[in-house]
Amino acid sequence: MKKAWLIPVLIAVIIGALACGLTRWAACNWCQPAPGRPVPDRLEDVSFLSRELRLNDAQAAEIAKLHVSWNAKLADCCQRRCAVRARLGPALCNETNGTVQARMIVEEMCRAYEAGELATLDHIQRVRALLNPEQKKRFDELITECVCASCPMCGGGVAAPSKVRSTH
């Protein structure tokens, strides 16, 4: 009777691991593209942003510096997540304490993923701080398009929220 809860918990952990694996695959392929493979996210391309936002030279140079720092943070998050994930298989096979270990490992992977998302949010805010109001408006459109259409599972099939009208 004590082991009746074990099978549902193991199934939940395996499903979580598969979901995390798919997320890691998409994120790690995104943050460190293979040599010779085009970068899938055009918002990482400063020349694209320069054209789309009509950046001046100083803005482009500063955004390029921000991109270098941001990519280093994302690579670190991805490497941490991958290193933790490597411990997941053995934990799942551990019949003594595997469920507890696997849960802790998944939580640690989630923290690394969260750190990458927070680094991205910080990067977006830093880029926006360099832009004039017209550039911010276009950048926000590009970000919304990227966020809503970048899901490798559904291709952004979820509708974006409608624009909120100001009453002022």
Side-chain angles (χ1 to χ4, degrees), residues 53-152:
L53 303 176
R54 296 185 180 123
L55 300 175
N56 62 41
D57 291 341
Q59 287 174 312
E62 192 61 33
I63 289 172
K65 288 179 195 174
L66 290 174
H67 275 29
V68 169
S69 172
W70 174 52
N71 281 322
K73 289 175 187 173
L74 288 182
D76 177 63
C77 292
C78 189
Q79 289 171 356
R80 284 189 294 143
R81 191 172 48 251
C82 292
V84 173
R85 183 174 175 71
R87 298 187 341 242
L88 185 58
L92 290 171
C93 297
N94 181 340
E95 293 193 23
T96 306
N97 199 19
T99 304
V100 173
Q101 289 176 341
R103 186 175 216 42
M104 290 171 48
I105 290 168
V106 169
E107 288 170 358
E108 193 174 345
M109 289 186 318
C110 290
R111 284 191 298 273
Y113 183 80
E114 178 186 29
E117 293 296 318
L118 291 172
T120 299
L121 177 60
D122 181 62
H123 175 73
I124 290 168
Q125 291 170 337
R126 289 175 187 264
V127 169
R128 286 186 89 250
L130 298 171
L131 305 175
N132 67 39
E134 184 180 307
Q135 291 169 325
K136 282 181 186 177
K137 182 179 179 199
R138 179 65 182 135
F139 184 66
D140 291 346
E141 290 169 356
L142 293 170
I143 290 293
T144 300
E145 179 184 317
C146 177
V147 169
C148 293
S150 63
C151 177

